[in-house]
Amino acid sequence: MRWWTGTGLLAVVVGTGAAWGQSAQTLEAVRLHRDGARALARQDVEACKASKCPDSGRISLLAGTLALAEGDVGEARTLLTGVTVSEPLQPYLAYYQGQALFYSGEPAQAAKAFGRAVEKGSPALASRARARLGESLLAAGQAKEAAAPLEVAAKEEPSAELLYQRAQARRAAGNTAGEREDLKTVALRYPAHPYADEALTALEAAKPPLRLTLAEHLQRARGLLDAGAPRRVLEELEKAEAAKLPRTKPDKAQVALVRAKALYATGKKDEAEQALAVARQGPAPVASEAAYVIAQRALKANENEKARELMAAVEKTWPKEDVADDAGFYVGWLDLQGGRFEDSVKSFKAFDQRHAGSRRRDEAMWYRALAHIRLEQYGPAREVLDTLVNTFPGSSLLPQARYWAARSQELGGAAADVTGPAYETVITTAPNSYYALLATERLRELGREPPAAFPEAPKQAETGETPAELKLAMALTEAGLFSDAAEEVQTRTARIRNPEQALTFAQALLRLGEYGHAHAVAARHLWGRAFGARAPDALAAFYPRAFATAVESEASRYKVSPFLVWAIMRRESAFRPEVASAADARGLMQVIPPTARAIAKKLAEPEPAPAELFSPSLSIRYGSWYLAQLMNRFSHPALAAAAYNAGPDAAVKWVKAKGSLPLDLFVEEIPFKETRGYVKQVLADLYLYQSFYAKDGAAQRLSLTVPAPSVEGVSF
């Protein structure tokens, strides 16, 4: 069980002086997944019994859930039996009683408890409890009774577990067609799940037995490849071949293509290349993808010249296949990266002619314009950019197209009374963008006062009634059930249907310290109010001073701008302390455990456990220290942001290669797409935070010169 790590509601409840049965130390330990949390909770139970405190039921509920999480079912049953809790917590007590009973081997009794949770629980809890009710009834031998709850549960959340359980219930109800459908879905859609193998075994034992087609074997193989199980991919393909399913040359080519990808993933390069040679003899869709795989590998290995040659061959040989689109795009992009700007213009122009329906056509136009700019061909650049704006009015590239059209005018010698209004349009049409920031600086260089992007700073309502829908979440937080509280908030906010309701929720969530949920509500419902109407109440949810005490304290300690900390936090986690990435980055500032260990060593303090990186205070402290070190080394927020995202070594490499360019061009030529977008957003957010909240009120300037980084300094 993973405990929620948010702290906002907890801080509010504590701040209001609520009578806590649990100690603050216990709640902190639960929130941070600390090993001693269960022991502390048990101490609270004993202390409450000794003093006959009125919160014994609530305290026992938390202690019981912690015992369950550690697999001590006996203690959980003891703690959860015969206790009384307030009405809002009663369905949760029933749910966790059901858990304890189920894992004690009493599924029939567990089903009764889960039934109470379904009957009285909120929608978030009822959905969970309904799935467990069905599972318990199955385990109790009441498969027919399990059918109804499992039908609903599997429809609400068609997971491998629920589909497999529903198949069992359908069989008991005589619905063999439905059983077969569910088992096959599990086997094909979730091939890496343990139930997939059980589903296949059941299907093969059925009458008539199921025999997968080649297409279905390939579907499973591709799913296993996506799940990071390449050895199982090879096993799946061997089964297909053992059944003599790949009969034709096209069949064998398809199998060879999937096999090649799996072999690459297992480090068997020579065998993978042999498989690709077979795939390239197949029909055009397979052969073209095989050739594209080879070109992609060259691209990832930074063998750009080879990649360019291979991409061009893919586009030329298979012009009507899907991969020709991406291959043609990369030809122009690699020309641009290699400094062959004239070739890039030609390549992107040819791309525009050959791929008129491409989803990347606006992006190709942008890079073509950039190549013209690098050639100092400002008139042609502006023509392409104007075409982009007129042809793709909904493109996300419009702010940069408008900025660079204005910049091309200026570089081409246009007067300030011509370029000034063009820069002003960038600010008024995309006030929260990186390009509005650049346009502001260009106007100041021209001696013109830029228009205010936002006439008023964000405004958070200090008072207001908490929506009734959030009161249950507060009760759950008060009980230390952080995971349940988070689920309740997410469910309630997902049901918001209009901006007025969203604004009420967002402001309430801000007051509760739930910055991540407030930001999510705003991003879904309040974009127009914030960036169209420029309403300060909506802006507050987009740009909150989240965890202000910790941010301002740590920023002051390490001499880094708190606004930079907020900008990084906004981009990294959107103010959600519980976030974990695929790369194991954790918490508000997305610190990975190895970096945390290196920071702890620099600070001469004990290494934190990985779970502690979800702590807002620790994440903010480590993130602030690290940002301070990056600013000390790189002296510019753009470079610090690039280093935070891609690492200091990459940032140094890019500055050495293209640091002579002005900042706007330097950022456009960062080779990693993710890092380019990251730097742009962080800079935009940094300067917006400064304009909104800086105490001195003085306009902060963005240096458009790229400084040389220090040789010494942080390198991890």
Side-chain angles (χ1 to χ4, degrees):
M1 184 179 298
R2 179 172 174 185
W3 297 103
W4 182 49
T5 53
T7 58
L9 286 167
L10 171 59
V12 170
V13 173
V14 172
T16 59
W20 284 90
Q22 295 93 341
S23 67
Q25 184 182 10
T26 300
L27 293 169
E28 179 76 356
V30 173
R31 181 176 60 80
L32 298 182
H33 315 239
R34 285 180 177 152
D35 292 337
R38 179 184 166 194
L40 290 170
R42 190 58 197 251
Q43 289 175 18
D44 288 345
V45 171
E46 298 303 326
C48 185
K49 286 181 179 178
S51 64
K52 297 181 180 180
C53 77
D55 294 325
S56 60
R58 188 180 68 193
I59 296 171
S60 294
L61 174 57
L62 175 60
T65 62
L66 293 173
L68 274 173
E70 294 188 12
D72 192 337
V73 178
E75 180 170 329
R77 283 193 64 173
T78 299
L79 288 164
L80 296 171
T81 301
V83 299
T84 303
V85 295
S86 62
E87 185 176 349
L89 297 179
Q90 288 172 7
Y92 293 88
L93 175 61
Y95 178 81
Y96 288 112
Q97 286 173 337
Q99 295 277 66
L101 288 163
F102 183 87
Y103 292 115
S104 295
E106 298 184 37
Q109 294 302 313
K112 293 178 181 179
F114 288 129
R116 294 195 298 272
V118 171
E119 181 183 356
K120 296 185 177 181
S122 69
L125 179 65
S127 179
R128 248 193 305 159
R130 188 177 294 109
R132 296 309 317 276
L133 170 60
E135 182 181 7
S136 299
L137 289 169
L138 274 179
Q142 302 175 45
K144 290 183 179 179
E145 291 81 356
L150 285 173
E151 286 291 342
V152 177
K155 185 177 181 181
E156 289 178 338
E157 183 187 347
S159 65
E161 292 89 347
L162 288 174
L163 289 169
Y164 186 78
Q165 290 164 7
R166 188 173 72 177
Q168 293 176 293
R170 283 178 164 180
R171 179 179 61 205
N175 182 2
T176 55
E179 174 201 6
R180 192 179 182 91
E181 178 188 357
D182 279 347
L183 291 175
K184 190 171 182 180
T185 299
V186 172
L188 296 180
R189 190 183 298 172
Y190 307 99
H193 195 281
Y195 277 144
D197 292 335
E198 293 188 32
L200 270 181
T201 300
L203 287 166
E204 289 167 355
K207 294 181 181 180
L210 173 75
R211 296 289 182 260
L212 295 184
T213 65
L214 177 60
E216 288 166 344
H217 276 293
L218 288 171
Q219 181 181 345
R220 278 177 51 81
R222 293 185 182 105
L224 290 165
L225 192 63
D226 291 341
R231 288 182 175 81
R232 292 196 61 193
V233 173
L234 298 174
E235 293 171 3
E236 189 70 29
L237 297 177
E238 287 171 6
K239 290 178 184 177
E241 290 174 327
K244 298 182 179 180
L245 294 176
R247 298 184 180 91
T248 66
K249 187 175 180 181
D251 289 345
K252 293 175 181 178
Q254 285 191 76
V255 171
L257 177 59
V258 178
R259 174 177 281 116
K261 294 178 181 180
L263 288 167
Y264 274 130
T266 57
K268 297 179 180 178
K269 180 182 176 183
D270 292 343
E271 292 180 49
E273 290 177 351
Q274 291 172 14
L276 283 177
V278 174
R280 291 192 65 171
Q281 300 305 309
V286 178
S288 61
E289 187 178 349
Y292 186 65
V293 167
I294 298 170
Q296 279 184 310
R297 287 187 62 80
L299 184 63
K300 290 178 181 178
N302 291 321
E303 299 172 352
N304 287 359
E305 297 304 316
K306 180 180 178 181
R308 199 257 184 221
E309 179 182 345
L310 292 170
M311 292 289 184
V314 169
E315 186 188 28
K316 181 179 179 181
T317 308
W318 297 280
K320 295 182 179 180
E321 299 303 321
D322 291 343
V323 293
D325 192 332
D326 285 342
F329 175 86
Y330 277 118
V331 169
W333 187 82
L334 286 164
D335 282 336
L336 184 67
Q337 288 294 309
R340 299 182 296 274
F341 303 122
E342 290 183 358
D343 289 341
S344 183
V345 168
K346 293 176 183 176
S347 297
F348 279 122
K349 190 172 183 179
F351 176 91
D352 194 57
Q353 294 169 347
R354 288 195 291 262
H355 303 280
S358 171
R359 59 185 172 78
R360 307 190 78 160
R361 193 170 165 224
D362 58 340
E363 192 178 4
M365 282 187 179
W366 152 244
Y367 280 120
R368 179 177 157 197
L370 181 58
H372 278 303
I373 291 168
R374 296 291 270 121
L375 290 166
E376 300 183 2
Q377 297 171 351
Y378 302 120
R382 189 179 170 212
E383 288 179 13
V384 175
L385 292 167
D386 287 344
T387 300
L388 193 165
V389 171
N390 294 326
T391 306
F392 302 99
S395 172
S396 62
L397 300 177
L398 258 58
Q400 70 195 75
R402 289 191 174 110
Y403 168 79
W404 282 106
R407 183 69 179 141
S408 295
Q409 280 185 317
E410 183 180 7
L411 291 169
D417 60 350
V418 174
T419 58
Y423 284 132
E424 289 169 1
T425 297
V426 177
I427 298 170
T428 56
T429 56
N432 59 316
S433 72
Y434 162 72
Y435 295 97
L437 171 62
L438 291 178
T440 296
E441 287 301 325
R442 295 301 181 190
L443 285 169
R444 287 172 178 155
E445 288 180 342
L446 294 173
R448 298 170 68 99
E449 184 63 26
F454 297 96
E456 295 182 67
K459 185 177 182 181
Q460 179 179 328
E462 298 300 327
T463 60
E465 186 174 350
T466 299
E469 296 91 336
L470 294 177
K471 290 181 179 177
L472 175 56
M474 292 186 70
L476 291 166
T477 302
E478 184 178 351
L481 303 180
F482 300 118
S483 180
D484 295 303
E487 200 167 294
E488 179 65 21
V489 171
Q490 289 166 356
T491 300
R492 295 296 184 179
T493 55
R495 296 178 177 223
I496 293 171
R497 291 292 177 264
N498 58 67
E500 291 72 26
Q501 186 186 14
L503 186 62
T504 300
F505 258 73
Q507 285 285 335
L509 288 165
L510 288 174
R511 288 193 298 273
L512 294 172
E514 287 301 320
Y515 308 106
H517 288 303
H519 184 274
V521 169
R524 182 178 296 181
H525 299 285
L526 298 176
W527 193 268
R529 185 177 177 88
F531 304 118
R534 317 291 207 267
D537 51 5
L539 285 172
F542 282 99
Y543 301 97
R545 285 178 286 187
F547 309 94
T549 300
V551 169
E552 290 169 355
S553 173
E554 300 300 344
S556 176
R557 177 193 300 192
Y558 297 118
K559 297 180 174 57
V560 66
S561 166
F563 308 123
L564 181 57
V565 177
W566 275 314
I568 293 287
M569 185 189 299
R570 186 176 190 268
R571 178 62 181 80
E572 289 287 348
S573 66
F575 313 110
R576 295 172 297 161
E578 74 277 10
V579 171
S581 76
D584 203 26
R586 300 169 178 233
L588 289 169
M589 304 296 285
Q590 289 291 275
V591 180
I592 60 174
T595 298
R597 291 193 291 271
I599 293 172
K601 185 176 181 180
K602 291 287 187 180
L603 295 175
E605 62 185 39
E607 293 182 1
E612 290 187 278
L613 297 179
F614 292 113
S615 163
S617 57
L618 185 66
S619 187
I620 290 167
R621 186 155 68 86
Y622 279 12
S624 298
W625 180 89
Y626 188 56
L627 278 173
Q629 303 308 308
L630 292 177
M631 284 298 294
N632 288 340
R633 183 171 186 191
F634 291 98
S635 305
H636 196 292
L639 301 183
Y644 199 99
N645 178 258
D649 290 346
V652 169
K653 178 182 177 181
W654 297 334
V655 174
K656 285 182 178 178
K658 298 189 177 182
S660 60
L661 296 174
L663 181 77
D664 50 7
L665 276 176
F666 173 83
V667 171
E668 300 295 1
E669 297 199 22
I670 291 175
F672 294 173
K673 183 176 183 178
E674 179 191 329
T675 305
R676 280 198 307 278
Y678 185 95
V679 169
K680 291 174 184 180
Q681 183 173 330
V682 167
L683 284 179
D685 293 347
L686 165 62
Y687 282 85
L688 282 174
Y689 264 107
Q690 287 179 166
S691 68
F692 290 150
Y693 300 120
K695 292 179 180 178
D696 57 15
Q700 299 292 320
R701 299 296 300 269
L702 172 69
S703 172
L704 298 177
T705 300
V706 179
S710 172
V711 175
E712 302 295 328
V714 66
S715 59
F716 57 84

